[in-house]
Amino acid sequence: MNTTVAAADMERAIRARKTELGDRLVILTHHYQRPEIVALGDLRGDSYELSKLAAQTAAEWIMFCGVHFMAQAAAVLARPEQRVVLPNHDAGCPMADMAAAPDVNRALDDIARLQPGRRVVPLAYMNTLAEVKAVVGERGGAICTSSNARQAFDWAYQRGDVVLFVPDEYLGRNTARQQGLNEEEIALYDPQRGALGGCSERELASARLVLWGGYCHVHTWFRPEQVDEARRLWPGCQVHVHPECRTEVVARADGAGSTGYLVRMVEQAGPGSTVIVGTEFNLVRRLALEHPDRRVLPLDRSLCPNMARTTTRHLLNALSRLPGLAPIAVDEAQQRGARLALERMLEIGG
Ligand code: SF4
């Protein structure tokens, strides 16, 4: 079969099904989704924007075109009558899988034991499993995203003395720099490195910030030399990167921020300008197409294979199976803690 015709047929079938379901359905798409998926969605954004939108929508079915942890968070925030579905259940996030609830609990206990009398506040990035969000909520912490990490750090230090930040080392380190913390105040905890996450007792006893040893391979792909090379090739260009990038990359860029920030920087750059963007390639390619009067280039071509797992075929298949399709389920025991942590994130704002 001609694949172009097949794609056009699928798109038509998706649009017809959307019309049939009307207000009962909303399709949320993350910025990193394939262009054809974004074009079929109703609302798009970063994980923070989408979690707020998911909490506000009146739709009965929330079709979440993103990865598993995002759909889980939407399911936690959804009203009891709403159902959240993920078109492809194989779309996970390797970074979210780098932190498991028992390990996070152990890290919090280790810090508390070595810093008696001091209050430890856990902060988890949105990119965590619901079981980790539940631990964070139950132990007085909050969730944050790259949009509001700084505000979340302020919130945490107003309530405690030590912060455990899970799971992205680089977002944590880049935020810590903005907060004026120095390297001696930071410990790196990685359960793969053995007891105390590979820290010495002294390190863990004196840390004001304990970072988890997790990372996003899509963003750690970028190197500082690529920023130098972009400036050499495009004199006068602006370079904006995501804060999941290495600190050396962020240090050489003009600015770092969430996908929402990166979109704004391209919009504000003005006609004739050159903007180099260090984040997932699908977003950069779309920004380039949407702004033909300026040059928008990727720092390098780095794709998230998990975001790409959602195809129009998956979307059509999921839509065709509604209302019989199994929604994303979050363990009842985890719901309460995860909801607490997510509601604190929405209160923190950003
Ligand atoms: S871009 Fe990175 S953090 Fe986002 S889903 Fe892909 S692997 Fe996970």
Side-chain angles (χ1 to χ4, degrees):
M1 193 196 299
N2 180 321
T3 50
T4 315
V5 172
D9 283 348
M10 276 194 285
E11 194 190 309
R12 254 193 304 279
I14 290 169
R15 292 197 189 281
R17 186 72 178 127
K18 280 182 67 174
T19 307
E20 243 172 71
L21 290 164
D23 293 345
R24 295 171 66 202
L25 168 78
V26 66
I27 300 181
L28 306 183
T29 65
H30 189 270
H31 283 305
Y32 296 163
Q33 288 288 295
R34 293 166 180 271
E36 60 274 23
I37 296 290
V38 171
L40 289 163
D42 298 306
L43 302 164
R44 76 178 178 209
D46 59 25
S47 52
Y48 180 68
E49 291 158 344
L50 292 178
S51 60
K52 278 199 299 187
L53 291 168
Q56 288 160 9
T57 180
E60 190 181 327
W61 293 96
I62 301 169
M63 181 71 68
F64 209 120
C65 299
V67 291
H68 196 259
F69 73 80
M70 296 178 182
Q72 268 191 331
V76 168
L77 289 170
R79 288 189 299 280
E81 69 278 13
Q82 292 180 306
R83 299 284 175 269
V84 178
V85 282
L86 189 66
N88 182 357
H89 280 249
D90 290 337
C93 168
M95 173 156 73
D97 293 339
M98 288 174 193
D103 292 333
V104 174
N105 258 323
R106 193 171 315 115
L108 287 166
D109 292 343
D110 285 343
I111 304 165
R113 181 167 48 80
L114 289 165
Q115 300 208 24
R118 304 188 81 205
R119 175 142 192 249
V120 191
V121 179
L123 277 183
Y125 193 19
M126 186 65 152
N127 306 30
T128 40
L129 306 173
E131 62 173 45
V132 169
K133 290 186 175 77
V135 168
V136 167
E138 280 155 13
R139 297 189 67 156
I143 305 303
C144 72
T145 70
S146 48
S147 307
N148 72 345
R150 226 177 143 171
Q151 289 91 328
F153 269 55
D154 288 338
W155 178 92
Y157 283 115
Q158 279 158 15
R159 283 158 183 79
D161 311 289
V162 193
V163 170
L164 170 69
F165 185 76
V166 181
D168 186 15
E169 175 191 344
Y170 297 101
L171 176 61
R173 212 174 272 284
N174 288 321
T175 309
R177 286 205 171 174
Q178 291 176 324
Q179 300 289 105
L181 285 165
N182 59 50
E183 282 300 315
E184 294 72 55
E185 296 175 293
I186 302 174
L188 183 63
Y189 191 104
D190 182 352
Q192 308 289 333
R193 294 194 297 161
L196 300 182
C199 299
S200 68
E201 288 207 349
R202 212 172 116 251
E203 276 173 323
L204 216 51
S206 61
R208 285 200 64 218
L209 173 65
V210 180
L211 298 174
W212 202 258
Y215 60 91
C216 162
H217 64 96
V218 177
H219 289 98
T220 52
W221 175 260
F222 301 116
R223 292 282 183 276
E225 307 81 72
Q226 292 170 333
V227 179
D228 298 341
E229 179 64 2
R231 292 200 193 281
R232 193 184 65 74
L233 288 171
W234 307 104
C237 70
Q238 297 178 36
V239 182
H240 296 284
V241 301
H242 195 281
E244 288 171 20
C245 293
R246 297 169 191 275
T247 37
E248 313 88 86
V249 172
V250 170
R252 289 195 203 194
D254 295 303
S258 65
T259 46
Y261 161 88
L262 297 172
V263 171
R264 280 196 306 281
M265 289 303 103
V266 170
E267 285 168 355
Q268 290 168 14
S273 53
T274 299
V275 190
I276 313 293
V277 185
T279 193
E280 210 274 345
F281 181 68
N282 273 306
L283 172 58
V284 188
R285 178 171 53 179
R286 204 178 62 247
L287 286 171
L289 287 171
E290 287 172 353
H291 298 87
D293 61 348
R294 61 209 75 180
R295 192 182 282 120
V296 182
L297 298 168
L299 186 55
D300 197 7
R301 197 186 150 99
S302 187
L303 280 153
C304 176
N306 288 286
M307 285 283 183
R309 280 180 199 263
T310 302
T311 63
T312 39
R313 195 173 293 282
H314 289 108
L315 183 55
L316 177 58
N317 185 33
L319 288 171
S320 314
R321 289 168 59 208
L322 288 180
L325 186 64
I328 289 285
V330 177
D331 192 296
E332 245 181 68
Q334 292 169 6
Q335 280 268 358
R336 209 182 135 268
R339 179 179 270 269
L340 264 177
L342 283 162
E343 283 173 350
R344 288 182 191 129
M345 171 186 79
L346 297 174
E347 276 161 33
I348 291 167

